PDB file of all heavy atoms in Angstrom:
ATOM      1  N   MET G   1     -13.265  23.324 -13.449  1.00  0.00           N
ATOM      2  CA  MET G   1     -12.121  22.662 -12.825  1.00  0.00           C
ATOM      3  C   MET G   1     -12.495  22.052 -11.474  1.00  0.00           C
ATOM      4  O   MET G   1     -13.412  22.506 -10.799  1.00  0.00           O
ATOM      5  CB  MET G   1     -10.971  23.652 -12.636  1.00  0.00           C
ATOM      6  CG  MET G   1     -10.540  24.377 -13.909  1.00  0.00           C
ATOM      7  SD  MET G   1      -9.896  23.270 -15.184  1.00  0.00           S
ATOM      8  CE  MET G   1      -8.427  22.622 -14.365  1.00  0.00           C
ATOM      9  N   VAL G   2     -11.731  21.020 -11.099  1.00  0.00           N
ATOM     10  CA  VAL G   2     -11.940  20.365  -9.810  1.00  0.00           C
ATOM     11  C   VAL G   2     -10.585  19.962  -9.225  1.00  0.00           C
ATOM     12  O   VAL G   2      -9.687  19.523  -9.941  1.00  0.00           O
ATOM     13  CB  VAL G   2     -12.852  19.125  -9.947  1.00  0.00           C
ATOM     14  CG1 VAL G   2     -12.202  18.039 -10.808  1.00  0.00           C
ATOM     15  CG2 VAL G   2     -13.224  18.572  -8.576  1.00  0.00           C
ATOM     16  N   TYR G   3     -10.435  20.127  -7.912  1.00  0.00           N
ATOM     17  CA  TYR G   3      -9.229  19.669  -7.225  1.00  0.00           C
ATOM     18  C   TYR G   3      -9.431  18.226  -6.766  1.00  0.00           C
ATOM     19  O   TYR G   3     -10.490  17.868  -6.231  1.00  0.00           O
ATOM     20  CB  TYR G   3      -8.923  20.549  -6.008  1.00  0.00           C
ATOM     21  CG  TYR G   3      -8.372  21.910  -6.361  1.00  0.00           C
ATOM     22  CD1 TYR G   3      -9.135  23.067  -6.170  1.00  0.00           C
ATOM     23  CD2 TYR G   3      -7.090  22.041  -6.889  1.00  0.00           C
ATOM     24  CE1 TYR G   3      -8.631  24.309  -6.489  1.00  0.00           C
ATOM     25  CE2 TYR G   3      -6.571  23.296  -7.206  1.00  0.00           C
ATOM     26  CZ  TYR G   3      -7.355  24.422  -7.008  1.00  0.00           C
ATOM     27  OH  TYR G   3      -6.851  25.662  -7.328  1.00  0.00           O
ATOM     28  N   LEU G   4      -8.411  17.413  -6.977  1.00  0.00           N
ATOM     29  CA  LEU G   4      -8.408  16.026  -6.537  1.00  0.00           C
ATOM     30  C   LEU G   4      -7.303  15.852  -5.506  1.00  0.00           C
ATOM     31  O   LEU G   4      -6.146  16.185  -5.773  1.00  0.00           O
ATOM     32  CB  LEU G   4      -8.173  15.081  -7.724  1.00  0.00           C
ATOM     33  CG  LEU G   4      -9.127  15.215  -8.916  1.00  0.00           C
ATOM     34  CD1 LEU G   4      -8.662  14.315 -10.056  1.00  0.00           C
ATOM     35  CD2 LEU G   4     -10.555  14.870  -8.497  1.00  0.00           C
ATOM     36  N   THR G   5      -7.643  15.319  -4.333  1.00  0.00           N
ATOM     37  CA  THR G   5      -6.657  15.104  -3.268  1.00  0.00           C
ATOM     38  C   THR G   5      -6.625  13.630  -2.905  1.00  0.00           C
ATOM     39  O   THR G   5      -7.662  13.056  -2.529  1.00  0.00           O
ATOM     40  CB  THR G   5      -7.005  15.914  -2.013  1.00  0.00           C
ATOM     41  OG1 THR G   5      -7.081  17.294  -2.346  1.00  0.00           O
ATOM     42  CG2 THR G   5      -5.935  15.725  -0.946  1.00  0.00           C
ATOM     43  N   LEU G   6      -5.468  13.021  -3.048  1.00  0.00           N
ATOM     44  CA  LEU G   6      -5.317  11.627  -2.641  1.00  0.00           C
ATOM     45  C   LEU G   6      -4.551  11.575  -1.318  1.00  0.00           C
ATOM     46  O   LEU G   6      -3.395  12.002  -1.237  1.00  0.00           O
ATOM     47  CB  LEU G   6      -4.561  10.820  -3.696  1.00  0.00           C
ATOM     48  CG  LEU G   6      -4.426   9.326  -3.389  1.00  0.00           C
ATOM     49  CD1 LEU G   6      -5.777   8.628  -3.568  1.00  0.00           C
ATOM     50  CD2 LEU G   6      -3.367   8.657  -4.259  1.00  0.00           C
ATOM     51  N   SER G   7      -5.220  11.089  -0.267  1.00  0.00           N
ATOM     52  CA  SER G   7      -4.539  10.812   0.998  1.00  0.00           C
ATOM     53  C   SER G   7      -4.117   9.354   0.951  1.00  0.00           C
ATOM     54  O   SER G   7      -4.932   8.478   0.672  1.00  0.00           O
ATOM     55  CB  SER G   7      -5.486  11.024   2.186  1.00  0.00           C
ATOM     56  OG  SER G   7      -6.016  12.323   2.194  1.00  0.00           O
ATOM     57  N   TYR G   8      -2.829   9.092   1.243  1.00  0.00           N
ATOM     58  CA  TYR G   8      -2.367   7.711   1.134  1.00  0.00           C
ATOM     59  C   TYR G   8      -1.438   7.344   2.283  1.00  0.00           C
ATOM     60  O   TYR G   8      -0.824   8.201   2.913  1.00  0.00           O
ATOM     61  CB  TYR G   8      -1.690   7.463  -0.215  1.00  0.00           C
ATOM     62  CG  TYR G   8      -0.526   8.357  -0.543  1.00  0.00           C
ATOM     63  CD1 TYR G   8       0.790   7.959  -0.283  1.00  0.00           C
ATOM     64  CD2 TYR G   8      -0.733   9.598  -1.139  1.00  0.00           C
ATOM     65  CE1 TYR G   8       1.859   8.785  -0.596  1.00  0.00           C
ATOM     66  CE2 TYR G   8       0.330  10.431  -1.452  1.00  0.00           C
ATOM     67  CZ  TYR G   8       1.625  10.010  -1.178  1.00  0.00           C
ATOM     68  OH  TYR G   8       2.689  10.832  -1.478  1.00  0.00           O
ATOM     69  N   ASP G   9      -1.396   6.062   2.537  1.00  0.00           N
ATOM     70  CA  ASP G   9      -0.586   5.488   3.617  1.00  0.00           C
ATOM     71  C   ASP G   9       0.814   5.238   3.082  1.00  0.00           C
ATOM     72  O   ASP G   9       1.023   4.366   2.232  1.00  0.00           O
ATOM     73  CB  ASP G   9      -1.232   4.176   4.069  1.00  0.00           C
ATOM     74  CG  ASP G   9      -0.588   3.585   5.311  1.00  0.00           C
ATOM     75  OD1 ASP G   9       0.601   3.861   5.550  1.00  0.00           O
ATOM     76  OD2 ASP G   9      -1.279   2.831   6.032  1.00  0.00           O
ATOM     77  N   HIS G  10       1.783   6.004   3.608  1.00  0.00           N
ATOM     78  CA  HIS G  10       3.139   5.926   3.073  1.00  0.00           C
ATOM     79  C   HIS G  10       3.840   4.612   3.420  1.00  0.00           C
ATOM     80  O   HIS G  10       4.932   4.331   2.919  1.00  0.00           O
ATOM     81  CB  HIS G  10       3.976   7.108   3.570  1.00  0.00           C
ATOM     82  CG  HIS G  10       4.991   7.581   2.585  1.00  0.00           C
ATOM     83  ND1 HIS G  10       5.525   6.768   1.610  1.00  0.00           N
ATOM     84  CD2 HIS G  10       5.587   8.792   2.413  1.00  0.00           C
ATOM     85  CE1 HIS G  10       6.400   7.440   0.891  1.00  0.00           C
ATOM     86  NE2 HIS G  10       6.455   8.682   1.352  1.00  0.00           N
ATOM     87  N   ARG G  11       3.229   3.794   4.273  1.00  0.00           N
ATOM     88  CA  ARG G  11       3.806   2.467   4.520  1.00  0.00           C
ATOM     89  C   ARG G  11       3.703   1.596   3.281  1.00  0.00           C
ATOM     90  O   ARG G  11       4.524   0.703   3.064  1.00  0.00           O
ATOM     91  CB  ARG G  11       3.073   1.773   5.669  1.00  0.00           C
ATOM     92  CG  ARG G  11       3.204   2.429   7.031  1.00  0.00           C
ATOM     93  CD  ARG G  11       2.370   1.668   8.046  1.00  0.00           C
ATOM     94  NE  ARG G  11       0.960   1.614   7.648  1.00  0.00           N
ATOM     95  CZ  ARG G  11       0.064   0.807   8.224  1.00  0.00           C
ATOM     96  NH1 ARG G  11       0.425   0.008   9.222  1.00  0.00           N
ATOM     97  NH2 ARG G  11      -1.196   0.812   7.815  1.00  0.00           N
ATOM     98  N   VAL G  12       2.657   1.835   2.469  1.00  0.00           N
ATOM     99  CA  VAL G  12       2.379   0.974   1.320  1.00  0.00           C
ATOM    100  C   VAL G  12       2.540   1.712  -0.004  1.00  0.00           C
ATOM    101  O   VAL G  12       3.065   1.161  -0.979  1.00  0.00           O
ATOM    102  CB  VAL G  12       0.948   0.400   1.425  1.00  0.00           C
ATOM    103  CG1 VAL G  12       0.609  -0.459   0.212  1.00  0.00           C
ATOM    104  CG2 VAL G  12       0.787  -0.401   2.709  1.00  0.00           C
ATOM    105  N   VAL G  13       2.079   2.956  -0.044  1.00  0.00           N
ATOM    106  CA  VAL G  13       2.070   3.720  -1.303  1.00  0.00           C
ATOM    107  C   VAL G  13       3.148   4.795  -1.252  1.00  0.00           C
ATOM    108  O   VAL G  13       3.194   5.595  -0.314  1.00  0.00           O
ATOM    109  CB  VAL G  13       0.690   4.366  -1.532  1.00  0.00           C
ATOM    110  CG1 VAL G  13       0.670   5.113  -2.861  1.00  0.00           C
ATOM    111  CG2 VAL G  13      -0.414   3.306  -1.485  1.00  0.00           C
ATOM    112  N   ASP G  14       3.991   4.824  -2.270  1.00  0.00           N
ATOM    113  CA  ASP G  14       5.023   5.858  -2.380  1.00  0.00           C
ATOM    114  C   ASP G  14       4.499   7.048  -3.166  1.00  0.00           C
ATOM    115  O   ASP G  14       3.503   6.948  -3.907  1.00  0.00           O
ATOM    116  CB  ASP G  14       6.271   5.301  -3.064  1.00  0.00           C
ATOM    117  CG  ASP G  14       7.009   4.301  -2.182  1.00  0.00           C
ATOM    118  OD1 ASP G  14       6.955   4.465  -0.946  1.00  0.00           O
ATOM    119  OD2 ASP G  14       7.615   3.373  -2.726  1.00  0.00           O
ATOM    120  N   GLY G  15       5.183   8.175  -3.025  1.00  0.00           N
ATOM    121  CA  GLY G  15       4.750   9.401  -3.679  1.00  0.00           C
ATOM    122  C   GLY G  15       4.660   9.273  -5.181  1.00  0.00           C
ATOM    123  O   GLY G  15       3.731   9.795  -5.807  1.00  0.00           O
ATOM    124  N   ALA G  16       5.614   8.573  -5.791  1.00  0.00           N
ATOM    125  CA  ALA G  16       5.608   8.431  -7.245  1.00  0.00           C
ATOM    126  C   ALA G  16       4.344   7.710  -7.714  1.00  0.00           C
ATOM    127  O   ALA G  16       3.690   8.128  -8.689  1.00  0.00           O
ATOM    128  CB  ALA G  16       6.851   7.661  -7.695  1.00  0.00           C
ATOM    129  N   VAL G  17       4.000   6.628  -7.030  1.00  0.00           N
ATOM    130  CA  VAL G  17       2.796   5.870  -7.399  1.00  0.00           C
ATOM    131  C   VAL G  17       1.546   6.714  -7.173  1.00  0.00           C
ATOM    132  O   VAL G  17       0.622   6.717  -7.994  1.00  0.00           O
ATOM    133  CB  VAL G  17       2.725   4.566  -6.588  1.00  0.00           C
ATOM    134  CG1 VAL G  17       1.393   3.848  -6.829  1.00  0.00           C
ATOM    135  CG2 VAL G  17       3.883   3.644  -6.941  1.00  0.00           C
ATOM    136  N   ALA G  18       1.512   7.437  -6.044  1.00  0.00           N
ATOM    137  CA  ALA G  18       0.340   8.259  -5.740  1.00  0.00           C
ATOM    138  C   ALA G  18       0.121   9.325  -6.816  1.00  0.00           C
ATOM    139  O   ALA G  18      -1.012   9.529  -7.272  1.00  0.00           O
ATOM    140  CB  ALA G  18       0.513   8.923  -4.371  1.00  0.00           C
ATOM    141  N   HIS G  19       1.194  10.018  -7.216  1.00  0.00           N
ATOM    142  CA  HIS G  19       1.049  11.065  -8.238  1.00  0.00           C
ATOM    143  C   HIS G  19       0.669  10.469  -9.592  1.00  0.00           C
ATOM    144  O   HIS G  19      -0.109  11.065 -10.344  1.00  0.00           O
ATOM    145  CB  HIS G  19       2.345  11.862  -8.346  1.00  0.00           C
ATOM    146  CG  HIS G  19       2.543  12.825  -7.200  1.00  0.00           C
ATOM    147  ND1 HIS G  19       1.773  13.950  -7.030  1.00  0.00           N
ATOM    148  CD2 HIS G  19       3.414  12.811  -6.163  1.00  0.00           C
ATOM    149  CE1 HIS G  19       2.154  14.596  -5.938  1.00  0.00           C
ATOM    150  NE2 HIS G  19       3.158  13.916  -5.387  1.00  0.00           N
ATOM    151  N   GLN G  20       1.206   9.288  -9.891  1.00  0.00           N
ATOM    152  CA  GLN G  20       0.812   8.634 -11.149  1.00  0.00           C
ATOM    153  C   GLN G  20      -0.656   8.222 -11.110  1.00  0.00           C
ATOM    154  O   GLN G  20      -1.364   8.320 -12.113  1.00  0.00           O
ATOM    155  CB  GLN G  20       1.689   7.407 -11.393  1.00  0.00           C
ATOM    156  CG  GLN G  20       3.136   7.739 -11.733  1.00  0.00           C
ATOM    157  CD  GLN G  20       3.972   6.481 -11.890  1.00  0.00           C
ATOM    158  OE1 GLN G  20       3.914   5.814 -12.914  1.00  0.00           O
ATOM    159  NE2 GLN G  20       4.744   6.157 -10.860  1.00  0.00           N
ATOM    160  N   PHE G  21      -1.106   7.763  -9.963  1.00  0.00           N
ATOM    161  CA  PHE G  21      -2.508   7.377  -9.820  1.00  0.00           C
ATOM    162  C   PHE G  21      -3.421   8.584 -10.053  1.00  0.00           C
ATOM    163  O   PHE G  21      -4.382   8.509 -10.827  1.00  0.00           O
ATOM    164  CB  PHE G  21      -2.742   6.797  -8.421  1.00  0.00           C
ATOM    165  CG  PHE G  21      -4.183   6.480  -8.126  1.00  0.00           C
ATOM    166  CD1 PHE G  21      -4.726   5.263  -8.479  1.00  0.00           C
ATOM    167  CD2 PHE G  21      -5.009   7.416  -7.500  1.00  0.00           C
ATOM    168  CE1 PHE G  21      -6.058   4.971  -8.208  1.00  0.00           C
ATOM    169  CE2 PHE G  21      -6.339   7.141  -7.232  1.00  0.00           C
ATOM    170  CZ  PHE G  21      -6.866   5.909  -7.588  1.00  0.00           C
ATOM    171  N   VAL G  22      -3.123   9.683  -9.379  1.00  0.00           N
ATOM    172  CA  VAL G  22      -3.947  10.885  -9.555  1.00  0.00           C
ATOM    173  C   VAL G  22      -3.865  11.376 -10.998  1.00  0.00           C
ATOM    174  O   VAL G  22      -4.870  11.819 -11.575  1.00  0.00           O
ATOM    175  CB  VAL G  22      -3.514  11.992  -8.566  1.00  0.00           C
ATOM    176  CG1 VAL G  22      -4.338  13.257  -8.783  1.00  0.00           C
ATOM    177  CG2 VAL G  22      -3.673  11.529  -7.130  1.00  0.00           C
ATOM    178  N   GLY G  23      -2.685  11.293 -11.596  1.00  0.00           N
ATOM    179  CA  GLY G  23      -2.540  11.695 -12.994  1.00  0.00           C
ATOM    180  C   GLY G  23      -3.385  10.836 -13.927  1.00  0.00           C
ATOM    181  O   GLY G  23      -3.944  11.331 -14.912  1.00  0.00           O
ATOM    182  N   LYS G  24      -3.480   9.547 -13.609  1.00  0.00           N
ATOM    183  CA  LYS G  24      -4.311   8.646 -14.414  1.00  0.00           C
ATOM    184  C   LYS G  24      -5.779   9.038 -14.301  1.00  0.00           C
ATOM    185  O   LYS G  24      -6.505   9.089 -15.305  1.00  0.00           O
ATOM    186  CB  LYS G  24      -4.112   7.212 -13.930  1.00  0.00           C
ATOM    187  CG  LYS G  24      -4.929   6.156 -14.653  1.00  0.00           C
ATOM    188  CD  LYS G  24      -4.383   5.873 -16.031  1.00  0.00           C
ATOM    189  CE  LYS G  24      -5.070   4.670 -16.658  1.00  0.00           C
ATOM    190  NZ  LYS G  24      -4.570   4.405 -18.027  1.00  0.00           N
ATOM    191  N   VAL G  25      -6.234   9.305 -13.072  1.00  0.00           N
ATOM    192  CA  VAL G  25      -7.629   9.733 -12.869  1.00  0.00           C
ATOM    193  C   VAL G  25      -7.888  11.025 -13.625  1.00  0.00           C
ATOM    194  O   VAL G  25      -8.905  11.166 -14.322  1.00  0.00           O
ATOM    195  CB  VAL G  25      -7.919   9.917 -11.359  1.00  0.00           C
ATOM    196  CG1 VAL G  25      -9.303  10.529 -11.156  1.00  0.00           C
ATOM    197  CG2 VAL G  25      -7.815   8.587 -10.630  1.00  0.00           C
ATOM    198  N   LYS G  26      -6.987  11.962 -13.525  1.00  0.00           N
ATOM    199  CA  LYS G  26      -7.114  13.254 -14.212  1.00  0.00           C
ATOM    200  C   LYS G  26      -7.221  13.060 -15.728  1.00  0.00           C
ATOM    201  O   LYS G  26      -8.097  13.638 -16.392  1.00  0.00           O
ATOM    202  CB  LYS G  26      -5.883  14.112 -13.881  1.00  0.00           C
ATOM    203  CG  LYS G  26      -5.712  15.378 -14.708  1.00  0.00           C
ATOM    204  CD  LYS G  26      -4.371  16.024 -14.376  1.00  0.00           C
ATOM    205  CE  LYS G  26      -4.024  17.173 -15.328  1.00  0.00           C
ATOM    206  NZ  LYS G  26      -4.762  18.388 -14.993  1.00  0.00           N
ATOM    207  N   GLY G  27      -6.335  12.224 -16.280  1.00  0.00           N
ATOM    208  CA  GLY G  27      -6.348  11.995 -17.726  1.00  0.00           C
ATOM    209  C   GLY G  27      -7.635  11.362 -18.202  1.00  0.00           C
ATOM    210  O   GLY G  27      -8.164  11.721 -19.269  1.00  0.00           O
ATOM    211  N   LEU G  28      -8.157  10.416 -17.439  1.00  0.00           N
ATOM    212  CA  LEU G  28      -9.405   9.753 -17.827  1.00  0.00           C
ATOM    213  C   LEU G  28     -10.585  10.713 -17.775  1.00  0.00           C
ATOM    214  O   LEU G  28     -11.489  10.657 -18.625  1.00  0.00           O
ATOM    215  CB  LEU G  28      -9.656   8.557 -16.902  1.00  0.00           C
ATOM    216  CG  LEU G  28      -8.688   7.375 -17.076  1.00  0.00           C
ATOM    217  CD1 LEU G  28      -8.821   6.396 -15.913  1.00  0.00           C
ATOM    218  CD2 LEU G  28      -8.968   6.659 -18.400  1.00  0.00           C
ATOM    219  N   LEU G  29     -10.603  11.597 -16.794  1.00  0.00           N
ATOM    220  CA  LEU G  29     -11.699  12.556 -16.695  1.00  0.00           C
ATOM    221  C   LEU G  29     -11.636  13.588 -17.832  1.00  0.00           C
ATOM    222  O   LEU G  29     -12.661  13.918 -18.436  1.00  0.00           O
ATOM    223  CB  LEU G  29     -11.637  13.269 -15.334  1.00  0.00           C
ATOM    224  CG  LEU G  29     -11.927  12.418 -14.096  1.00  0.00           C
ATOM    225  CD1 LEU G  29     -11.647  13.210 -12.821  1.00  0.00           C
ATOM    226  CD2 LEU G  29     -13.375  11.901 -14.099  1.00  0.00           C
ATOM    227  N   GLU G  30     -10.447  14.082 -18.080  1.00  0.00           N
ATOM    228  CA  GLU G  30     -10.316  15.127 -19.117  1.00  0.00           C
ATOM    229  C   GLU G  30     -10.519  14.583 -20.519  1.00  0.00           C
ATOM    230  O   GLU G  30     -10.996  15.313 -21.410  1.00  0.00           O
ATOM    231  CB  GLU G  30      -8.942  15.776 -18.992  1.00  0.00           C
ATOM    232  CG  GLU G  30      -8.777  16.576 -17.716  1.00  0.00           C
ATOM    233  CD  GLU G  30      -7.438  17.262 -17.589  1.00  0.00           C
ATOM    234  OE1 GLU G  30      -6.501  16.866 -18.335  1.00  0.00           O
ATOM    235  OE2 GLU G  30      -7.301  18.195 -16.789  1.00  0.00           O
ATOM    236  N   GLY G  31     -10.186  13.309 -20.715  1.00  0.00           N
ATOM    237  CA  GLY G  31     -10.349  12.722 -22.056  1.00  0.00           C
ATOM    238  C   GLY G  31     -11.531  11.799 -22.151  1.00  0.00           C
ATOM    239  O   GLY G  31     -11.506  10.832 -22.927  1.00  0.00           O
ATOM    240  N   TRP G  32     -12.572  12.046 -21.353  1.00  0.00           N
ATOM    241  CA  TRP G  32     -13.712  11.128 -21.283  1.00  0.00           C
ATOM    242  C   TRP G  32     -14.295  10.846 -22.679  1.00  0.00           C
ATOM    243  O   TRP G  32     -14.580  11.767 -23.450  1.00  0.00           O
ATOM    244  CB  TRP G  32     -14.804  11.717 -20.396  1.00  0.00           C
ATOM    245  CG  TRP G  32     -15.920  10.748 -20.123  1.00  0.00           C
ATOM    246  CD1 TRP G  32     -17.049  10.582 -20.861  1.00  0.00           C
ATOM    247  CD2 TRP G  32     -15.977   9.801 -19.065  1.00  0.00           C
ATOM    248  NE1 TRP G  32     -17.839   9.594 -20.325  1.00  0.00           N
ATOM    249  CE2 TRP G  32     -17.192   9.096 -19.214  1.00  0.00           C
ATOM    250  CE3 TRP G  32     -15.138   9.479 -18.007  1.00  0.00           C
ATOM    251  CZ2 TRP G  32     -17.582   8.070 -18.334  1.00  0.00           C
ATOM    252  CZ3 TRP G  32     -15.525   8.478 -17.127  1.00  0.00           C
ATOM    253  CH2 TRP G  32     -16.731   7.777 -17.298  1.00  0.00           C
ATOM    254  N   SER G  33     -14.490   9.553 -22.975  1.00  0.00           N
ATOM    255  CA  SER G  33     -15.025   9.158 -24.291  1.00  0.00           C
ATOM    256  C   SER G  33     -16.177   8.160 -24.199  1.00  0.00           C
ATOM    257  O   SER G  33     -16.768   7.813 -25.220  1.00  0.00           O
ATOM    258  CB  SER G  33     -13.899   8.554 -25.140  1.00  0.00           C
ATOM    259  OG  SER G  33     -13.349   7.410 -24.496  1.00  0.00           O
ATOM    260  N   GLU G  34     -16.498   7.701 -22.997  1.00  0.00           N
ATOM    261  CA  GLU G  34     -17.534   6.698 -22.832  1.00  0.00           C
ATOM    262  C   GLU G  34     -18.927   7.317 -22.939  1.00  0.00           C
ATOM    263  O   GLU G  34     -19.194   8.375 -22.364  1.00  0.00           O
ATOM    264  CB  GLU G  34     -17.378   6.006 -21.472  1.00  0.00           C
ATOM    265  CG  GLU G  34     -18.332   4.859 -21.246  1.00  0.00           C
ATOM    266  CD  GLU G  34     -18.077   4.146 -19.928  1.00  0.00           C
ATOM    267  OE1 GLU G  34     -17.021   4.408 -19.303  1.00  0.00           O
ATOM    268  OE2 GLU G  34     -18.921   3.333 -19.515  1.00  0.00           O
ATOM    269  N   GLU G  35     -19.819   6.639 -23.665  1.00  0.00           N
ATOM    270  CA  GLU G  35     -21.205   7.099 -23.779  1.00  0.00           C
ATOM    271  C   GLU G  35     -21.967   6.792 -22.493  1.00  0.00           C
ATOM    272  O   GLU G  35     -21.725   5.768 -21.845  1.00  0.00           O
ATOM    273  CB  GLU G  35     -21.889   6.410 -24.963  1.00  0.00           C
ATOM    274  CG  GLU G  35     -21.318   6.795 -26.325  1.00  0.00           C
ATOM    275  CD  GLU G  35     -21.574   8.240 -26.678  1.00  0.00           C
ATOM    276  OE1 GLU G  35     -22.586   8.801 -26.197  1.00  0.00           O
ATOM    277  OE2 GLU G  35     -20.772   8.814 -27.429  1.00  0.00           O
ATOM    278  N   VAL G  36     -22.881   7.658 -22.127  1.00  0.00           N
ATOM    279  CA  VAL G  36     -23.668   7.421 -20.915  1.00  0.00           C
ATOM    280  C   VAL G  36     -25.104   7.034 -21.217  1.00  0.00           C
ATOM    281  O   VAL G  36     -25.825   6.621 -20.308  1.00  0.00           O
ATOM    282  CB  VAL G  36     -23.640   8.678 -20.005  1.00  0.00           C
ATOM    283  CG1 VAL G  36     -22.232   9.007 -19.584  1.00  0.00           C
ATOM    284  CG2 VAL G  36     -24.305   9.860 -20.683  1.00  0.00           C
ATOM    285  N   LEU G  37     -25.524   7.156 -22.443  1.00  0.00           N
ATOM    286  CA  LEU G  37     -26.885   6.783 -22.828  1.00  0.00           C
ATOM    287  C   LEU G  37     -26.858   5.613 -23.820  1.00  0.00           C
ATOM    288  O   LEU G  37     -25.910   5.431 -24.567  1.00  0.00           O
ATOM    289  CB  LEU G  37     -27.601   7.967 -23.488  1.00  0.00           C
ATOM    290  CG  LEU G  37     -28.044   9.096 -22.547  1.00  0.00           C
ATOM    291  CD1 LEU G  37     -28.583  10.280 -23.350  1.00  0.00           C
ATOM    292  CD2 LEU G  37     -29.129   8.592 -21.585  1.00  0.00           C
TER     293      LEU G  37
END
């Protein structure tokens, strides 16, 4: 497991967008399907 922390500027990014962004990163990492070789 790994903790992911997103620090964001609330002038531009709202909490909903920030949590969705981190959720997207989390989903891509957990469901990784790309070949590396």
Side-chain angles (χ1 to χ4, degrees):
M1 305 297 296
V2 64
Y3 286 110
L4 305 174
T5 302
L6 183 72
S7 303
Y8 57 95
D9 188 334
H10 213 334
R11 295 177 302 167
V12 178
V13 182
D14 290 329
V17 173
H19 285 290
Q20 290 177 78
F21 175 87
V22 178
K24 179 74 171 178
V25 173
K26 169 187 171 78
L28 291 167
L29 292 172
E30 293 182 343
W32 188 270
S33 60
E34 185 176 348
E35 294 293 332
V36 299
L37 286 173

